[in-house]
Amino acid sequence: MRQKRIIQSSLFDLFADHQIGRELKAISGWLEAHSELLTLVAADLGEAGIKDTGRQGLPVESVLRCAVLKQYRQLSYEELAFHLEDSSSFRAFARLPLALCPKKSVLQKTISRIRAESWEQINRALLSDARQEKIERGMAVRIDSTVCEALMHAPSDSSLLFDSVRVMTRLLKQAASLPGGTAVAWRNRQRLAKKRALAIRYSRGKDRKARLYRDLIDATQATMASLRSLALHLASSIESAAWRLEVEHYLPLIERVIDQTRRRVFTGERVPAADKLVSLFEPHAEIIVKGGRDVQYGHKLNFSTGKSGMILDAVIEDGNPADAARFLPMLERHVTLYGQPPRQSAADGGFASRDNLKQAKAIGVRDVAFHKKCGLKIEDMTKSKWIYRQLRNFRAGIEAGISCLKRAYGLTRCTWRGIDHFKSYVWSSVVANNLAIFARLKPT
């Protein structure tokens, strides 16, 4: 049983007379005025099949407020649990019932179930209010891209093979406690795999590396054969069914690791980035190279912001599309969101092309400024050189906005597992950023 919201706030809900306390009070007021958003969160938490009797769970309103609080202050679940118990301002914001101090496991279980689509709807409701308050009208937009890394180490074929052996050994050990788990004798090759992976890292010469890779692949395949044999001998039970699901998840990924290693090491093939698996634990992660700089592993993000600094839209891209290919789709999403094209737009030089300029003008954008002209004339982009300089300076502000998202709201690296949680993490950071800006700019 889970209550949707706390109707009456406590007399002891007091916010500190500090900038953070005042911001929390303003954000709390906005959330209080939009109780309809709780229906989205309740659906994500799966309230449809919950009985009306039983122990009271964390209220839906408190789940949403705790999620905002976590991203707004960039706290771990353990730190969030501590502050909710220790800070009167945090308890007042979270609207926690008296004597309720949620543990970190409860916070993680509930907050992580809020979907990215719900966060996006919350952001749209916030932008609608910002438009009514004349904080952000969406008439001038700037577009840029960045990368949010996934929670993984820098990959190599040898490290991926060692990870494969390590994961399969863990599964074999877990199976020992299941019915039929001791029917197959198997050898622990984890130590051998670690030695070969380290030797590959510090050895020189293609021939020596090839011999070490062959030993490492043999150890991986032998462990895989033991795992498959054990899966056939396990008796049917609920525990063994869950174990088999995990095995079925990892085995295709390990086969991909072996295949890409053979193609690269033994046949000398250059494996395309789209075919590479860079993590067993974050298989959705992409290889992203931006502007010839360091290689990053995660997802490319495209943002559009307005004059207020609020994030108007965010897109988590599949793969690593060129910036120029994403300029018009971002403008079209803005038209869908606001019902009209922006009067002015500014973007980095990577988005510049004559076709993009022509089509942006065709949908109704009066002035389009690219930071690097890339052969385009200023007269074709804007009405005057003065407007072009103003828009070029305006575009530079999005760099500070993205930097703030990375430093203050955790978008340097996503700390949540899986592609669905990755998207939720990005959108929750966007909402936390926009709520903070809205609270600072809203007239009191």
Side-chain angles (χ1 to χ4, degrees), residues 354 357-358 361 365-368 375-384:
R354 191 167 298 278
L357 175 61
K358 180 179 178 181
K361 294 278 189 176
V365 184
R366 296 182 185 177
D367 300 304
V368 182
L376 300 173
K377 295 181 179 179
I378 293 179
E379 294 77 12
D380 295 334
M381 291 189 283
T382 60
K383 294 180 180 179
S384 66

Side-chain angles (χ1 to χ4, degrees), residues 145-147 273 286-291 296 298-301 317-323 325-326:
S145 62
T146 187
V147 177
E286 308 276 0
I287 302 174
I288 309 294
V289 182
K290 273 193 101 265
Q296 295 174 286
H299 288 282
K300 186 174 183 178
L301 311 177
E317 302 287 358
D318 292 327
N320 187 16
D323 286 346
R326 300 303 303 162

Side-chain angles (χ1 to χ4, degrees), residues 102-386:
K103 304 299 181 184
K104 63 178 181 180
S105 58
V106 175
L107 293 169
Q108 188 277 332
K109 183 179 179 181
T110 52
I111 290 174
S112 62
R113 288 166 67 181
I114 304 177
R115 298 178 303 122
E117 291 79 7
S118 299
W119 285 115
E120 186 173 0
Q121 290 300 318
I122 292 171
N123 189 60
R124 292 193 175 188
L126 180 60
L127 291 177
S128 177
D129 277 16
R131 191 176 185 181
Q132 293 177 4
E133 296 286 345
K134 298 182 180 180
I135 295 173
E136 179 53 69
R137 299 184 180 183
M139 298 308 294
V141 300
R142 43 197 170 188
I143 301 171
D144 205 355
S145 62
T146 187
V147 177
C148 180
E149 294 184 341
L151 189 61
M152 54 174 286
H153 60 75
S156 64
D157 289 327
S158 58
S159 66
L160 287 172
L161 288 169
F162 171 62
D163 284 343
S164 302
V165 174
R166 183 168 56 85
V167 168
M168 289 189 292
T169 302
R170 172 175 57 81
L171 290 170
L172 287 167
K173 289 179 178 179
Q174 288 177 354
S177 61
L178 301 176
T182 58
V184 176
W186 57 277
R187 176 187 168 192
N188 189 337
R189 295 176 174 83
Q190 187 172 340
R191 186 179 177 186
L192 171 65
K194 184 176 182 179
K195 285 185 177 181
R196 295 298 182 270
L198 289 174
I200 290 170
R201 182 177 180 181
Y202 295 111
S203 65
R204 295 184 179 181
K206 290 185 178 180
D207 294 337
R208 175 166 173 75
K209 282 182 180 291
R211 288 196 299 271
L212 293 169
Y213 266 114
R214 192 169 286 108
D215 289 347
L216 186 51
I217 289 175
D218 289 343
T220 307
Q221 289 181 320
T223 308
M224 187 186 299
S226 299
L227 190 63
R228 283 176 169 154
S229 177
L230 187 57
L232 295 175
H233 287 82
L234 279 182
S236 297
S237 66
I238 296 176
E239 294 81 5
S240 61
W243 183 86
R244 282 193 176 92
L245 284 176
E246 194 170 1
V247 170
E248 291 170 1
H249 168 74
Y250 280 114
L251 284 183
L253 299 177
I254 295 171
E255 288 174 350
R256 283 183 61 186
V257 171
I258 294 174
D259 177 67
Q260 70 188 27
T261 303
R262 281 178 169 163
R263 289 167 63 185
R264 188 188 69 82
V265 177
F266 300 129
T267 65
E269 181 182 347
R270 292 179 63 88
V271 182
D275 296 344
K276 288 182 180 178
L277 179 71
V278 295
S279 174
L280 288 177
F281 314 107
E282 298 292 325
H284 61 86
E286 308 276 0
I287 302 174
I288 309 294
V289 182
K290 273 193 101 265
R293 293 173 294 215
D294 294 337
V295 179
Q296 295 174 286
Y297 305 95
H299 288 282
K300 186 174 183 178
L301 311 177
N302 275 309
F303 290 114
S304 64
T305 72
K307 286 187 175 181
S308 65
M310 296 180 72
I311 306 297
L312 307 183
D313 196 13
V315 177
I316 297 98
E317 302 287 358
D318 292 327
N320 187 16
D323 286 346
R326 300 303 303 162
F327 180 70
L328 286 173
M330 292 297 293
L331 286 181
E332 289 168 357
R333 285 176 61 93
H334 182 90
V335 173
T336 302
L337 178 62
Y338 278 89
Q340 61 182 357
R343 183 182 295 113
Q344 298 173 319
S345 70
D348 198 3
F351 294 90
S353 75
R354 191 167 298 278
D355 186 58
N356 281 346
L357 175 61
K358 180 179 178 181
Q359 294 194 47
K361 294 278 189 176
I363 65 174
V365 184
R366 296 182 185 177
D367 300 304
V368 182
F370 298 110
H371 183 69
K372 295 180 181 178
K373 294 187 281 291
C374 299
L376 300 173
K377 295 181 179 179
I378 293 179
E379 294 77 12
D380 295 334
M381 291 189 283
T382 60
K383 294 180 180 179
S384 66
K385 291 183 179 180
W386 182 84

